[in-house]
Amino acid sequence: MNLYNMKASKILKRTVYLLTATGFTFHATSHSDFLPFPLFPDKIKAGIDGIVRSSRAISTITFTIADYKYSLYSLSVGSEDYLCKLSEVHLRSAKRILKLCEINKGFYVKAGQFVAAIRQVPKEYSSTLSSLQDQAVPCDFKSIKEVLMSNLGQHLSEIFISLDEQPIAAASIAQVHHAILRGNQEVAVKVQYPGLEHKMRLDIAIMSFLSKTVTWIFPEYRFGWLVSEFAGTISLELDFIQEAKNSEKTAENFKNNEMVRVPHVFWDFTTSHVLTMQFCKGCKVDDLDSLKEIKANPIKVAKALVEVFAEMIFVHGFVHGDPHAGNILVSSEGRNGFSLVLLDHGICKTLDDTFRADYCRLWKALILLDSDEIKHLGERFGIGQYSRYLPLIFTGRSIDSKSVLGAGMSAEERRKVKQELVSLTMEDISSFMESLPPNFLAVLRIDGLLRSIVSKLKAPQQIRLLAYAKYALYGLSPKSNLKSDFAIDVVFARFKTTFSYLHLRIILEVLQLLSWMRKVKQFLHRLLGEIIGIARSVLTLSSSDVL
């Protein structure tokens, strides 16, 4: 007990020292009234702004660390009081970090959005930080005009017939303006905010420092994997030339799919900081009122959406890495009454073929709940003992579940899973997330965003599960190799894949039928019990009357 108190005292001292240091820094630099900003050149202003932003971040995280340490002090881990208090601290901390992201803007907003899309973080964080998705303050047009002219090398009047000064969309790293080119083409011009590379380096360095500081004070809380993944992702988004190439590759992959539209790139007016593309009309994929106006069935939209992304993941191995609602439009044009417009291809992931094939096998095993295969693939992914949680993460079933796919768990299964999850420590969670390969982290995040959209469209999650099952089988089929020498091989492969999918679908339908029959049986048992109970009551009353 004395040893524990000594360790706790050391940790508390570290926290106090860090809090004091960052507090002084924060207050010394955050009061811009005392800083003669107009007198400084732009580089010095940027340096001062960086210090202020960094100080806010350090101060916020320090207060958060102290809140966790002091609020949970002396509570028994896993107890009801501990879990209740932990949820309260999660919510307070999430609101504190939300405020930091809103004030610091830029990459902090992007980081908040990134965290909100990961389903493995506490729900208090994901629900609170999700509000950042639509919070972006546009840059003034004077700065945007300077970026356009310096990148395109011409006066804007020589390029555009018209260019709207008011952006049609604004995000954390760029904003989009509607324009008409001199050739009368209607375009969307995406312009990166000035000075982002410098801000990114500083912000990522601070985030890395904060992550290491948290781990230094709480060794079981390790977020290095998160900072590393975010840094790699955000650096991709800053190169608009690469984004344009990603867009064209996606368009090529779906050239025979009338459901998918990708805006055409105008290369003459595209640089690493300016992207000019075809203007496409449509409503946000989760806007139910607008979908109703264009007579697009939300369930069909959800089905088309998950099938498009399932094809990217399981077949192409090249996937749009940021499928939030703002990046996917539903157009009224299309053979089926609508089509999907895919925007913002900055974050695209190329899955190596070994991972793609293993991920296909994983989903086949998840659908059939083949626990041995799931554990085997877990070893290949490097997550070992944590593979037992993969069915829970992706399908909402435990690895020992007897419930039908998409039907959720029984009350008994939920009780067992809850007991098992309560026993997990932060060390377990950190170890699990650290062990995941980068490709796995990417598809986890993509799946989380898709599930959110499917839920908003009020579509059953079974649509997603069946689409994944279908395209996982396609991904394992040789027919995905378009360079096959013999057409008959392709035809045979397609037949084999279709047969496998139908076989899998029949299994799922039979399981659903059995589940339905069990529910009917339970209902009839309850109904029969109620009838017998009523009959007994009537007989009892009749006997009383006779007597």
Side-chain angles (χ1 to χ4, degrees):
M1 186 68 180
N2 290 336
L3 182 60
Y4 172 83
N5 287 335
M6 287 172 65
K7 288 178 71 177
S9 177
K10 286 181 180 179
I11 290 172
L12 295 180
K13 283 179 182 178
R14 291 175 186 172
T15 306
V16 171
Y17 292 156
L18 187 57
L19 179 61
T20 303
T22 54
F24 277 127
T25 307
F26 173 72
H27 288 295
T29 58
S30 62
H31 290 80
S32 57
D33 294 342
F34 296 99
L35 295 172
F37 268 49
L39 302 178
F40 292 131
D42 288 343
K43 286 187 177 180
I44 296 179
K45 285 182 188 177
I48 293 174
D49 178 63
I51 293 172
V52 173
R53 287 153 55 84
S54 302
S55 298
R56 284 197 200 105
I58 294 170
S59 182
T60 298
I61 298 303
T62 302
F63 275 108
T64 299
I65 291 171
D67 192 4
Y68 273 97
K69 197 65 193 176
Y70 298 149
S71 298
L72 302 176
Y73 185 69
S74 78
L75 293 177
S76 176
V77 176
S79 67
E80 192 171 327
D81 288 344
Y82 177 88
L83 295 176
C84 182
K85 182 62 70 175
L86 181 62
S87 179
E88 291 176 8
V89 181
H90 280 337
L91 185 58
R92 276 201 305 272
S93 302
K95 288 179 178 178
R96 198 179 289 126
I97 291 171
L98 173 64
K99 186 176 179 181
L100 170 69
C101 294
E102 290 173 336
I103 295 173
N104 273 7
K105 301 183 178 62
F107 293 108
Y108 284 86
V109 171
K110 198 72 184 175
Q113 294 171 350
F114 190 85
V115 171
I118 300 175
R119 293 176 61 87
Q120 286 63 49
V121 302
K123 65 180 185 299
E124 293 86 355
Y125 281 90
S126 57
S127 60
T128 301
L129 296 177
S130 63
S131 65
L132 291 169
Q133 200 61 65
D134 299 314
Q135 288 190 23
V137 180
C139 185
D140 65 279
F141 188 70
K142 181 183 177 182
S143 299
I144 293 298
K145 187 177 179 180
E146 289 174 359
V147 174
L148 283 169
M149 292 180 65
S150 65
N151 276 266
L152 302 181
Q154 300 177 60
H155 194 275
L156 299 187
S157 61
E158 297 175 25
I159 303 171
F160 305 105
I161 293 175
S162 66
L163 173 65
D164 294 348
E165 294 190 9
Q166 191 66 27
I168 55 175
S172 53
I173 68 168
Q175 61 192 51
V176 181
H177 293 260
H178 176 268
I180 307 290
L181 292 175
R182 279 290 170 188
N184 284 315
Q185 300 99 330
E186 190 177 13
V187 295
V189 185
K190 183 176 179 180
V191 187
Q192 191 175 124
Y193 300 136
L196 281 186
E197 283 99 340
H198 173 73
K199 283 185 178 179
M200 182 193 76
R201 287 194 293 270
L202 179 60
D203 289 347
I204 294 297
I206 291 299
M207 290 175 190
S208 179
F209 166 74
L210 291 174
S211 168
K212 290 174 182 176
T213 300
V214 170
T215 303
W216 176 54
I217 297 173
F218 299 104
E220 68 276 18
Y221 285 76
R222 299 189 296 279
F223 300 109
W225 60 270
L226 183 59
V227 176
S228 177
E229 182 67 14
F230 174 69
T233 298
I234 201 66
S235 63
L236 294 174
E237 280 203 271
L238 294 183
D239 185 356
F240 286 2
I241 294 288
Q242 186 59 52
E243 178 176 346
K245 291 177 180 178
N246 293 341
S247 174
E248 290 193 332
K249 184 170 182 178
T250 302
E252 175 64 21
N253 286 343
F254 286 101
K255 65 182 179 182
N256 296 321
N257 189 332
E258 294 182 359
M259 181 57 69
V260 179
R261 295 177 62 201
V262 179
H264 169 72
V265 175
F266 290 84
W267 282 103
D268 289 343
F269 309 110
T270 293
T271 71
S272 58
H273 296 98
V274 175
L275 173 57
T276 303
M277 54 199 156
Q278 173 190 5
F279 180 81
C280 294
K281 295 178 181 178
C283 64
K284 287 175 65 173
V285 69
D286 63 350
D287 186 343
L288 292 174
D289 291 334
S290 296
L291 291 178
K292 188 176 180 181
E293 286 179 15
I294 64 173
K295 297 179 181 178
N297 185 319
I299 306 298
K300 290 183 179 179
V301 170
K303 184 175 184 294
L305 175 68
V306 293
E307 286 193 346
V308 165
F309 276 85
E311 185 173 341
M312 288 187 199
I313 295 169
F314 296 106
V315 181
H316 301 162
F318 183 76
V319 58
H320 188 302
D322 196 19
H324 66 75
N327 286 340
I328 304 162
L329 303 181
V330 179
S331 169
S332 58
E333 301 172 11
R335 193 177 64 179
N336 298 311
F338 71 90
S339 58
L340 299 176
V341 182
L342 303 183
L343 307 174
D344 196 352
H345 298 261
I347 306 174
C348 280
K349 294 285 185 180
T350 300
L351 309 177
D352 69 74
D353 207 52
T354 300
F355 173 84
R356 185 193 60 78
D358 282 343
Y359 194 64
C360 288
R361 294 186 185 95
L362 173 64
W363 267 95
K364 184 178 179 182
L366 288 170
I367 298 299
L368 297 175
L369 212 56
D370 183 344
S371 57
D372 290 337
E373 179 69 356
I374 291 170
K375 289 173 183 175
H376 168 69
L377 289 166
E379 293 292 338
R380 286 180 61 84
F381 288 130
I383 59 177
Q385 61 177 323
Y386 302 111
S387 60
R388 65 178 290 100
Y389 298 109
L390 292 177
L392 187 63
I393 290 170
F394 286 114
T395 67
R397 297 187 294 176
S398 69
I399 198 165
D400 304 313
S401 178
K402 305 300 179 187
S403 61
V404 177
L405 184 70
M409 293 181 286
S410 66
E412 178 62 19
E413 285 171 344
R414 281 197 297 271
R415 186 187 64 79
K416 288 182 178 178
V417 167
K418 187 176 179 181
Q419 284 181 340
E420 193 170 347
L421 291 179
V422 166
S423 68
L424 290 177
T425 63
M426 194 59 207
E427 173 64 35
D428 291 318
I429 296 170
S430 293
S431 296
F432 171 66
M433 298 306 292
E434 284 176 330
S435 64
L436 290 175
N439 283 339
F440 208 111
L441 283 170
V443 294
L444 258 183
R445 183 172 181 273
I446 292 165
D447 183 60
L449 289 166
L450 291 175
R451 289 169 79 164
S452 176
I453 294 174
V454 169
S455 179
K456 287 178 182 176
L457 291 172
K458 303 186 187 309
Q461 287 295 333
Q462 193 164 21
I463 283 178
R464 163 183 153 272
L465 299 175
L466 288 174
Y468 282 10
K470 178 180 178 180
Y471 283 91
L473 291 174
Y474 284 165
L476 290 171
S477 166
K479 76 116 183 164
S480 59
N481 179 8
L482 301 178
K483 297 180 181 178
S484 178
D485 293 328
F486 301 101
I488 193 167
D489 292 342
V490 176
V491 173
F492 178 73
R494 286 179 179 173
F495 172 77
K496 185 179 177 182
T497 299
T498 302
F499 180 79
S500 297
Y501 173 67
L502 289 173
H503 177 246
L504 186 61
R505 186 71 187 262
I506 289 169
I507 291 173
L508 293 174
E509 293 294 345
V510 169
L511 289 173
Q512 285 184 309
L513 178 62
L514 292 173
S515 175
W516 179 80
M517 290 174 65
R518 281 197 299 270
K519 288 180 181 178
V520 170
K521 183 179 178 182
Q522 291 169 358
F523 170 75
L524 291 175
H525 271 298
R526 286 198 305 270
L527 183 62
L528 184 61
E530 289 174 4
I531 291 171
I532 292 172
I534 292 170
R536 284 175 177 169
S537 298
V538 170
L539 289 172
T540 302
L541 288 172
S542 299
S543 300
S544 299
D545 290 340
V546 171
L547 293 173

